[in-house]
Amino acid sequence: MATPVFRFGAFRLDATARELLEHGRRIDLPLSTVDFLIHLIRHRDRPVGRDELAAAVWGRVDVSEVSLSHAVMRLRRVLGDDGNTQRVIRTVPRFGYRWVAAVDADTDIDADSDADASARAPAPPPAAPRGHARAAAPWRRLGHGAAVLAVILAIALAGSAARRMPVRAAADSAFVLPAAIEAGADAAWLRLGLMDLLATRLHRGGLAATPNETVLALLSARGDDVAGERPARWRVRPRARFAHGEWTVSIAADGDGRVLEVETRADDAFGAARAAADELLIKLGHAPPPERSDDAALAAATLRARIDAALLSGRTEIARRIVGAAPPALRLNPEIAFAEGRIALFSGDYEACREQLDTLLARLPDAAPKELRARVLNALGAVAHRQGRYDAAAAAYAAAVRLLQDAGEPDVLAASYIGSGAIAAERSDLDRAAADYGRARTLYEASGDRFGVATVDLDLGINAMQRGRPAEALPLLESVRERLRRFAAADALTATEIVLVEAKLQTLDVAGALADSAHFVSAGSDAGDPRRRWQLTFARAAALHGAGRLAEADALLARLRDASDPSADALARALGDALAARIALERGDPDAAAELAGAAMTPTLERRNRDQYLRAWTTRVRARQQRGDLAGAAAEIARLRAWAAAEDDAAALPIALADAQQAAAEGDAALALARYAEAMARAARQAVPDDVVEAGLPYVEALLAARRFDEAISVNGRIAPWADRDVRAARAAAKVYRALGRDAAADTAADAARRLAGERRFADDGALAAAAGG
């Protein structure tokens, strides 16, 4: 029988506990990587094929080469090995890998024993639900995360009847609290059900109601003490009790220094609540809405209120059970059918939602309310957006806009404009996106919906980021974050923080990005939507990479690849591979960098984030240059230039840098300097600090090598403002000062460069003090 413990060098591998220790200290590795190591060592008497490893570790053979390469790369790094020496894990070309280091074990290992089989990894957990939180906008670096907000909001806004607001000024508005219920446990759902009914009834009578989502978020953050916030003119506190076979609903509304009270009775809670709402409307100077009192309408209203109550509480399973227990005839009611679609949407089952809503839309009679038809269209647009079907999404939102132009439903129309703007952003039509967001913002502001205004401002901040203006976006995003904190709107707040991380990385505020993202992993691990979890994970990895904390970043990227869904999370996985490629390049492993960059260049990334696709491509070019494959690099640049021919200036800067690095590698110093000058000019025009220092450091090095010191001093001066927080700017300063004989200043800059580098390694690290050709 095989021993479960193996020792090699300073390492101890416990196969039973699936733990690897170095000098007694546990090394944090993904379980799939540990299982990979166990299988290699157990079968160290022979080479192990890639298919065998995939089946043993992941439980299937259709595992990508990238997953295998990730595992080998992580193991080699942890064990002090690399792709060149291969003294621990040897690559067997066109087959797989073999363990070649000495191993101590208590007994001989029988590769075919039961113990061997039991040590293999269990079958992987079921794949996460398919689909995406909002399809990501093409940000310049992360390309991921907070841009999900518009679709999420479009769903939430379109979904709840109580979310609607009248066109009239919000000065006459209500803040309806959950109802206090004095009845049996089976009536607990009425707490939110009556809240929704009253808000809807007051709305139909012309009184603007604060969205239920906002009310619940504020209560979650502050308990009942929300009077100081005063989100609306009237605070409405309902109470319902059941006694002697009868329901009594009372309402206390306080505002303008006075308190209005009403109390009504009926055989059912909804009837009493409707009567109470009508009496309150009359006292406030509004006419009650037309009555819909037939039994079928009452049953549908009751069922919809129960479903909304469950969804507002985040209990999709309860909502599903409520619908399942309803009579079949009632489930044919359009509002209930729409509610079923919302349940599928909130559960992440986007294809089921699409089928249900398509069916509902086809059977809606011509006389159906425009508002209901528009809400269905908005939800269909949101699903299509999440699935990357942009033409279908745009058509759905456009149809909703046409329906609602004169319908008097501003918040549903605003949701349509937000969705339309998001699709325009996906297509890089940023002016159209900004125009649509502006329309939505005006509608929300006119209705007094401060939460809606804040979410549109987030979209406008993202729009500025997409235009390459992170400095312009930052103050707006900071303002949005503070407003959303007051609303305790967790989803929207998380989205905003992800965008802020990106903006701070682009403006070289790495410390701020690290601070803002510190809670992302713990928050993401508990997130109900796995798509959001991987957005948070990737954003945190990007911040860690910016700080040079490569091992931590790589561990998060490994978690993303190991646990995410290959289909539903295709974009997040491609982004992770692109970042992992840059990390490999910074560790001096161009072979791994080239492979990872190639894996990142998927059709999904090309279609949904062309900027990151471009960065992955240039990473692959640099990897070829570093390993001396100049012909291959030149061919890659030619293909890249042809691909980017129809693109805008976004591709010009990285292509100019790739050209310059290629010329330098080929020994054409004059051409390299010309290309570096072009890249620097483009970076200066765009004025994004990250781009400026990216172009500035190699340009300074080339100028110093050509002994054009005056020009090197000038370029260095343009990136020097960031030398205290960016390793590239600090390295440029050290080299310039050394060339000028300013050794004290050079030493100070070199010390800063070493501190800022973190785990990043540069080819001339050992000779930094003597750099710059001095």
Side-chain angles (χ1 to χ4, degrees):
M1 181 175 290
T3 176
V5 176
F6 309 98
R7 297 178 180 84
F8 42 94
F11 298 92
R12 179 179 184 273
L13 174 63
D14 186 332
T16 300
R18 298 164 84 190
E19 277 190 339
L20 178 65
L21 299 94
E22 182 181 16
H23 295 298
R25 181 182 61 83
R26 185 179 183 276
I27 298 174
D28 187 18
L29 286 171
L31 288 179
S32 61
T33 303
V34 177
D35 291 332
F36 192 105
L37 175 61
I38 291 171
H39 197 78
L40 275 183
I41 292 180
R42 285 187 178 278
H43 300 278
R44 64 188 184 277
D45 58 320
R46 60 178 174 85
V48 182
R50 289 183 174 86
D51 286 348
E52 178 184 339
L53 282 164
V57 175
W58 285 276
R60 61 188 196 274
V61 297
D62 60 335
V63 175
S64 73
E65 288 287 330
V66 175
S67 294
L68 295 166
S69 298
H70 263 295
V72 173
M73 185 173 63
R74 285 194 294 270
L75 287 174
R76 282 176 171 161
R77 185 170 63 253
V78 166
L79 302 176
D81 196 11
D82 59 51
N84 293 322
T85 60
Q86 298 191 14
R87 61 180 182 79
V88 178
I89 300 174
R90 180 177 299 158
T91 300
V92 182
R94 295 181 296 280
F95 182 73
Y97 303 94
R98 183 173 183 176
W99 182 272
V100 294
V103 176
D104 291 328
D106 294 337
T107 62
D108 291 335
I109 297 176
D110 176 5
D112 297 320
S113 67
D114 291 339
D116 176 39
S118 66
R120 295 180 182 179
R130 299 170 60 88
H132 279 274
R134 169 184 170 188
W139 299 350
R140 304 183 67 255
R141 293 291 183 267
L142 298 188
H144 208 71
V148 301
L149 183 67
V151 166
I152 293 172
L153 289 172
I155 295 164
L157 297 174
S160 173
R163 191 68 176 85
R164 300 193 301 271
M165 294 192 179
V167 177
R168 63 183 297 115
D172 205 4
S173 53
F175 183 85
V176 182
L177 295 168
I181 305 299
E182 300 174 15
D186 59 347
W189 67 274
L190 285 171
R191 178 175 178 270
L192 298 180
L194 290 184
M195 170 193 181
D196 183 73
L197 181 146
L198 289 170
T200 301
R201 192 79 174 175
L202 295 177
H203 153 70
R204 292 185 60 221
L207 195 69
T210 300
N212 290 339
E213 301 95 311
T214 301
V215 174
L216 294 175
L218 285 170
L219 291 174
S220 175
R222 297 177 177 81
D224 291 333
D225 184 22
V226 294
E229 181 71 24
R230 189 51 70 180
R233 181 179 179 184
W234 296 96
R235 183 174 59 173
V236 177
R237 292 170 292 167
R239 178 179 298 275
R241 65 181 183 274
F242 182 73
H244 309 298
E246 185 179 55
W247 282 95
T248 300
V249 172
S250 59
I251 299 176
D254 61 271
D256 292 344
R258 58 193 176 123
V259 178
L260 302 176
E261 296 184 356
V262 298
E263 184 174 283
T264 57
R265 293 176 176 81
D267 292 339
D268 64 276
F270 269 35
R274 282 196 302 275
D278 289 351
E279 187 175 335
L280 178 62
L281 282 167
I282 292 169
K283 288 189 175 185
L284 293 174
H286 294 267
E291 189 58 73
R292 305 172 187 171
S293 58
D294 60 280
D295 290 343
L298 175 60
T302 303
L303 180 59
R304 186 190 59 77
R306 288 189 176 213
I307 296 168
D308 283 348
L311 292 178
L312 282 170
S313 302
R315 308 295 293 274
T316 55
E317 284 303 318
I318 291 178
R320 189 175 287 109
R321 289 202 298 269
I322 291 171
V323 171
L330 190 53
R331 294 178 65 174
L332 294 176
N333 180 287
E335 284 284 357
I336 304 309
F338 180 57
E340 286 197 74
R342 291 178 64 216
I343 293 170
L345 195 55
F346 276 82
S347 302
D349 192 347
Y350 303 129
E351 194 55 37
C353 176
R354 174 186 176 185
E355 292 176 2
Q356 290 171 0
L357 295 184
D358 276 339
T359 300
L360 170 60
L361 198 62
R363 69 179 179 84
L364 278 178
D366 292 339
K370 290 182 178 180
E371 174 266 342
L372 173 60
R373 190 181 297 274
R375 281 193 287 148
V376 175
L377 287 166
N378 280 347
L380 282 169
V383 170
H385 192 172
R386 292 181 179 205
Q387 295 179 324
R389 298 182 294 109
Y390 300 149
D391 289 345
Y397 290 130
V401 168
R402 288 193 298 271
L403 271 175
L404 295 173
Q405 285 291 354
D406 301 311
E409 295 290 345
D411 66 303
V412 183
L413 179 57
S416 306
Y417 278 129
I418 289 175
S420 175
I423 297 301
E426 294 284 6
R427 292 169 166 168
S428 298
D429 188 351
L430 301 182
D431 290 338
R432 165 70 184 275
D436 281 341
Y437 295 151
R439 294 182 180 99
R441 194 184 194 283
T442 299
L443 290 165
Y444 282 137
E445 198 162 43
S447 295
D449 187 344
R450 291 179 297 159
F451 179 75
V453 169
T455 59
V456 176
D457 283 350
L458 171 55
D459 277 315
L460 290 169
I462 293 172
N463 188 267
M465 293 284 290
Q466 292 168 326
R467 294 174 187 271
R469 301 171 185 170
E472 176 185 313
L474 268 171
L476 179 59
L477 293 170
E478 294 280 10
S479 169
V480 169
R481 177 166 63 178
E482 291 310 307
R483 282 179 277 163
L484 293 177
R485 279 176 175 165
R486 291 197 296 271
F487 281 112
D491 237 18
L493 179 59
T494 297
T496 306
E497 289 181 325
I498 294 175
V499 192
L500 274 169
V501 166
E502 170 59 9
K504 290 182 178 181
L505 288 175
Q506 288 189 33
T507 55
L508 302 181
D509 181 8
V510 176
L514 280 173
D516 285 352
S517 64
H519 66 284
F520 280 8
V521 176
S522 58
S525 64
D526 296 329
D529 186 348
R531 310 292 80 78
R532 173 59 58 85
R533 180 187 314 159
W534 302 126
Q535 294 163 11
L536 290 164
T537 299
F538 177 77
R540 177 59 176 172
L544 291 167
H545 168 255
R549 292 161 59 175
L550 304 187
E552 293 175 76
D554 189 60
L556 289 180
L557 295 175
R559 186 185 307 174
L560 188 162
R561 173 156 285 279
D562 285 347
S564 61
D565 183 274
S567 176
D569 299 307
L571 180 60
R573 291 163 68 89
L575 289 165
D577 286 341
L579 180 56
R582 296 198 291 277
I583 291 173
L585 201 62
E586 292 168 358
R587 285 194 168 117
D589 191 346
D591 290 338
E595 184 176 6
L596 290 164
M601 294 171 61
T602 62
T604 296
L605 189 64
E606 181 180 14
R607 177 170 53 87
R608 300 184 63 186
N609 194 319
R610 294 178 73 86
D611 183 72
Q612 276 293 321
Y613 188 84
L614 172 64
R615 285 176 65 84
W617 204 334
T618 55
T619 298
R620 188 162 68 172
V621 169
R622 289 178 59 199
R624 289 186 180 277
Q625 290 168 344
Q626 281 193 16
R627 67 187 184 190
D629 180 11
L630 299 186
E636 288 277 7
I637 294 172
R639 287 193 293 270
L640 172 57
R641 187 177 287 105
W643 173 85
E647 292 293 299
D648 57 17
D649 272 356
L653 172 58
I655 289 177
L657 277 174
D659 276 337
Q661 290 155 347
Q662 183 71 12
E666 293 174 349
D668 191 339
L671 180 59
L673 283 170
R675 293 291 184 261
Y676 280 131
E678 176 190 347
M680 190 66 190
R682 290 185 179 278
R685 284 197 298 272
Q686 294 173 4
V688 177
D690 186 47
D691 289 339
V692 174
V693 297
E694 181 72 9
L697 172 60
Y699 191 19
V700 165
E701 293 172 331
L703 289 167
L704 291 174
R707 305 191 69 78
R708 291 164 59 170
F709 297 130
D710 188 61
E711 292 170 79
I713 291 169
S714 174
V715 174
N716 178 67
R718 297 164 75 176
I719 65 176
W722 299 289
D724 62 340
R725 49 178 159 156
D726 184 86
V727 61
R728 296 161 295 182
R731 288 178 63 82
K735 294 184 176 191
V736 168
Y737 290 139
R738 191 71 67 197
L740 298 176
R742 301 275 301 278
D743 288 345
D747 289 343
T748 299
D751 287 342
R754 283 189 288 271
R755 171 177 54 82
L756 293 166
E759 300 161 30
R760 287 171 287 211
R761 295 292 174 262
F762 296 84
D764 59 350
D765 270 339
L768 181 61

PDB file of all heavy atoms in Angstrom, residues 363-378:
ATOM      1  N   ARG A 363     -47.718  36.326 -26.203  1.00  0.00           N
ATOM      2  CA  ARG A 363     -49.138  36.141 -25.899  1.00  0.00           C
ATOM      3  C   ARG A 363     -49.788  37.342 -25.217  1.00  0.00           C
ATOM      4  O   ARG A 363     -50.973  37.299 -24.895  1.00  0.00           O
ATOM      5  CB  ARG A 363     -49.339  34.879 -25.051  1.00  0.00           C
ATOM      6  CG  ARG A 363     -48.814  34.923 -23.656  1.00  0.00           C
ATOM      7  CD  ARG A 363     -49.119  33.605 -22.923  1.00  0.00           C
ATOM      8  NE  ARG A 363     -48.617  33.565 -21.565  1.00  0.00           N
ATOM      9  CZ  ARG A 363     -49.259  34.060 -20.511  1.00  0.00           C
ATOM     10  NH1 ARG A 363     -50.438  34.644 -20.677  1.00  0.00           N
ATOM     11  NH2 ARG A 363     -48.730  33.966 -19.303  1.00  0.00           N
ATOM     12  N   LEU A 364     -49.039  38.413 -24.995  1.00  0.00           N
ATOM     13  CA  LEU A 364     -49.654  39.602 -24.402  1.00  0.00           C
ATOM     14  C   LEU A 364     -50.659  40.198 -25.382  1.00  0.00           C
ATOM     15  O   LEU A 364     -50.328  40.429 -26.553  1.00  0.00           O
ATOM     16  CB  LEU A 364     -48.591  40.655 -24.062  1.00  0.00           C
ATOM     17  CG  LEU A 364     -47.832  40.498 -22.749  1.00  0.00           C
ATOM     18  CD1 LEU A 364     -46.790  41.602 -22.605  1.00  0.00           C
ATOM     19  CD2 LEU A 364     -48.784  40.511 -21.560  1.00  0.00           C
ATOM     20  N   PRO A 365     -51.853  40.476 -24.950  1.00  0.00           N
ATOM     21  CA  PRO A 365     -52.845  41.080 -25.857  1.00  0.00           C
ATOM     22  C   PRO A 365     -52.465  42.520 -26.194  1.00  0.00           C
ATOM     23  O   PRO A 365     -51.698  43.163 -25.470  1.00  0.00           O
ATOM     24  CB  PRO A 365     -54.140  41.019 -25.042  1.00  0.00           C
ATOM     25  CG  PRO A 365     -53.690  40.999 -23.610  1.00  0.00           C
ATOM     26  CD  PRO A 365     -52.398  40.238 -23.597  1.00  0.00           C
ATOM     27  N   ASP A 366     -53.003  43.005 -27.291  1.00  0.00           N
ATOM     28  CA  ASP A 366     -52.698  44.378 -27.707  1.00  0.00           C
ATOM     29  C   ASP A 366     -53.096  45.382 -26.633  1.00  0.00           C
ATOM     30  O   ASP A 366     -52.501  46.456 -26.524  1.00  0.00           O
ATOM     31  CB  ASP A 366     -53.419  44.702 -29.018  1.00  0.00           C
ATOM     32  CG  ASP A 366     -52.867  43.901 -30.183  1.00  0.00           C
ATOM     33  OD1 ASP A 366     -51.712  43.414 -30.066  1.00  0.00           O
ATOM     34  OD2 ASP A 366     -53.580  43.743 -31.188  1.00  0.00           O
ATOM     35  N   ALA A 367     -54.126  45.031 -25.852  1.00  0.00           N
ATOM     36  CA  ALA A 367     -54.615  45.954 -24.832  1.00  0.00           C
ATOM     37  C   ALA A 367     -53.799  45.900 -23.540  1.00  0.00           C
ATOM     38  O   ALA A 367     -54.103  46.623 -22.588  1.00  0.00           O
ATOM     39  CB  ALA A 367     -56.074  45.643 -24.527  1.00  0.00           C
ATOM     40  N   ALA A 368     -52.770  45.055 -23.473  1.00  0.00           N
ATOM     41  CA  ALA A 368     -51.953  44.960 -22.258  1.00  0.00           C
ATOM     42  C   ALA A 368     -51.284  46.300 -21.974  1.00  0.00           C
ATOM     43  O   ALA A 368     -50.946  47.053 -22.897  1.00  0.00           O
ATOM     44  CB  ALA A 368     -50.900  43.879 -22.430  1.00  0.00           C
ATOM     45  N   PRO A 369     -51.104  46.646 -20.710  1.00  0.00           N
ATOM     46  CA  PRO A 369     -50.473  47.931 -20.370  1.00  0.00           C
ATOM     47  C   PRO A 369     -49.091  48.070 -21.024  1.00  0.00           C
ATOM     48  O   PRO A 369     -48.305  47.126 -21.040  1.00  0.00           O
ATOM     49  CB  PRO A 369     -50.357  47.869 -18.841  1.00  0.00           C
ATOM     50  CG  PRO A 369     -51.396  46.887 -18.411  1.00  0.00           C
ATOM     51  CD  PRO A 369     -51.473  45.869 -19.508  1.00  0.00           C
ATOM     52  N   LYS A 370     -48.821  49.244 -21.571  1.00  0.00           N
ATOM     53  CA  LYS A 370     -47.523  49.485 -22.193  1.00  0.00           C
ATOM     54  C   LYS A 370     -46.389  49.291 -21.192  1.00  0.00           C
ATOM     55  O   LYS A 370     -45.306  48.819 -21.527  1.00  0.00           O
ATOM     56  CB  LYS A 370     -47.476  50.902 -22.763  1.00  0.00           C
ATOM     57  CG  LYS A 370     -48.355  51.128 -23.972  1.00  0.00           C
ATOM     58  CD  LYS A 370     -48.192  52.546 -24.489  1.00  0.00           C
ATOM     59  CE  LYS A 370     -49.028  52.780 -25.740  1.00  0.00           C
ATOM     60  NZ  LYS A 370     -48.861  54.172 -26.252  1.00  0.00           N
ATOM     61  N   GLU A 371     -46.664  49.678 -19.960  1.00  0.00           N
ATOM     62  CA  GLU A 371     -45.624  49.584 -18.923  1.00  0.00           C
ATOM     63  C   GLU A 371     -45.196  48.142 -18.701  1.00  0.00           C
ATOM     64  O   GLU A 371     -44.008  47.841 -18.573  1.00  0.00           O
ATOM     65  CB  GLU A 371     -46.149  50.215 -17.626  1.00  0.00           C
ATOM     66  CG  GLU A 371     -45.245  50.080 -16.432  1.00  0.00           C
ATOM     67  CD  GLU A 371     -45.597  48.862 -15.597  1.00  0.00           C
ATOM     68  OE1 GLU A 371     -46.727  48.344 -15.757  1.00  0.00           O
ATOM     69  OE2 GLU A 371     -44.734  48.427 -14.809  1.00  0.00           O
ATOM     70  N   LEU A 372     -46.154  47.204 -18.691  1.00  0.00           N
ATOM     71  CA  LEU A 372     -45.817  45.787 -18.506  1.00  0.00           C
ATOM     72  C   LEU A 372     -45.020  45.276 -19.698  1.00  0.00           C
ATOM     73  O   LEU A 372     -43.996  44.594 -19.542  1.00  0.00           O
ATOM     74  CB  LEU A 372     -47.086  44.958 -18.324  1.00  0.00           C
ATOM     75  CG  LEU A 372     -46.866  43.431 -18.284  1.00  0.00           C
ATOM     76  CD1 LEU A 372     -45.947  43.046 -17.131  1.00  0.00           C
ATOM     77  CD2 LEU A 372     -48.203  42.698 -18.185  1.00  0.00           C
ATOM     78  N   ARG A 373     -45.474  45.606 -20.905  1.00  0.00           N
ATOM     79  CA  ARG A 373     -44.751  45.161 -22.098  1.00  0.00           C
ATOM     80  C   ARG A 373     -43.311  45.703 -22.090  1.00  0.00           C
ATOM     81  O   ARG A 373     -42.361  45.006 -22.434  1.00  0.00           O
ATOM     82  CB  ARG A 373     -45.498  45.617 -23.354  1.00  0.00           C
ATOM     83  CG  ARG A 373     -44.964  44.991 -24.645  1.00  0.00           C
ATOM     84  CD  ARG A 373     -45.751  45.527 -25.846  1.00  0.00           C
ATOM     85  NE  ARG A 373     -47.153  45.169 -25.787  1.00  0.00           N
ATOM     86  CZ  ARG A 373     -47.648  44.034 -26.245  1.00  0.00           C
ATOM     87  NH1 ARG A 373     -46.834  43.138 -26.799  1.00  0.00           N
ATOM     88  NH2 ARG A 373     -48.935  43.777 -26.167  1.00  0.00           N
ATOM     89  N   ALA A 374     -43.147  46.958 -21.668  1.00  0.00           N
ATOM     90  CA  ALA A 374     -41.808  47.561 -21.631  1.00  0.00           C
ATOM     91  C   ALA A 374     -40.926  46.896 -20.582  1.00  0.00           C
ATOM     92  O   ALA A 374     -39.726  46.696 -20.797  1.00  0.00           O
ATOM     93  CB  ALA A 374     -41.925  49.054 -21.356  1.00  0.00           C
ATOM     94  N   ARG A 375     -41.528  46.544 -19.438  1.00  0.00           N
ATOM     95  CA  ARG A 375     -40.725  45.857 -18.413  1.00  0.00           C
ATOM     96  C   ARG A 375     -40.235  44.505 -18.934  1.00  0.00           C
ATOM     97  O   ARG A 375     -39.100  44.100 -18.671  1.00  0.00           O
ATOM     98  CB  ARG A 375     -41.549  45.677 -17.136  1.00  0.00           C
ATOM     99  CG  ARG A 375     -41.638  46.936 -16.292  1.00  0.00           C
ATOM    100  CD  ARG A 375     -42.194  46.620 -14.916  1.00  0.00           C
ATOM    101  NE  ARG A 375     -43.614  46.343 -14.948  1.00  0.00           N
ATOM    102  CZ  ARG A 375     -44.241  45.495 -14.134  1.00  0.00           C
ATOM    103  NH1 ARG A 375     -43.551  44.799 -13.251  1.00  0.00           N
ATOM    104  NH2 ARG A 375     -45.543  45.319 -14.204  1.00  0.00           N
ATOM    105  N   VAL A 376     -41.097  43.806 -19.656  1.00  0.00           N
ATOM    106  CA  VAL A 376     -40.690  42.526 -20.242  1.00  0.00           C
ATOM    107  C   VAL A 376     -39.564  42.747 -21.246  1.00  0.00           C
ATOM    108  O   VAL A 376     -38.558  42.024 -21.258  1.00  0.00           O
ATOM    109  CB  VAL A 376     -41.886  41.821 -20.906  1.00  0.00           C
ATOM    110  CG1 VAL A 376     -41.429  40.554 -21.624  1.00  0.00           C
ATOM    111  CG2 VAL A 376     -42.956  41.479 -19.869  1.00  0.00           C
ATOM    112  N   LEU A 377     -39.701  43.768 -22.090  1.00  0.00           N
ATOM    113  CA  LEU A 377     -38.663  44.064 -23.079  1.00  0.00           C
ATOM    114  C   LEU A 377     -37.342  44.426 -22.401  1.00  0.00           C
ATOM    115  O   LEU A 377     -36.260  44.007 -22.833  1.00  0.00           O
ATOM    116  CB  LEU A 377     -39.120  45.197 -23.996  1.00  0.00           C
ATOM    117  CG  LEU A 377     -40.200  44.830 -25.028  1.00  0.00           C
ATOM    118  CD1 LEU A 377     -40.813  46.088 -25.634  1.00  0.00           C
ATOM    119  CD2 LEU A 377     -39.605  43.944 -26.126  1.00  0.00           C
ATOM    120  N   ASN A 378     -37.412  45.212 -21.328  1.00  0.00           N
ATOM    121  CA  ASN A 378     -36.186  45.576 -20.605  1.00  0.00           C
ATOM    122  C   ASN A 378     -35.493  44.340 -20.037  1.00  0.00           C
ATOM    123  O   ASN A 378     -34.267  44.206 -20.096  1.00  0.00           O
ATOM    124  CB  ASN A 378     -36.500  46.550 -19.470  1.00  0.00           C
ATOM    125  CG  ASN A 378     -36.656  47.972 -19.958  1.00  0.00           C
ATOM    126  OD1 ASN A 378     -36.309  48.303 -21.090  1.00  0.00           O
ATOM    127  ND2 ASN A 378     -37.194  48.828 -19.107  1.00  0.00           N
TER     128      ASN A 378
END
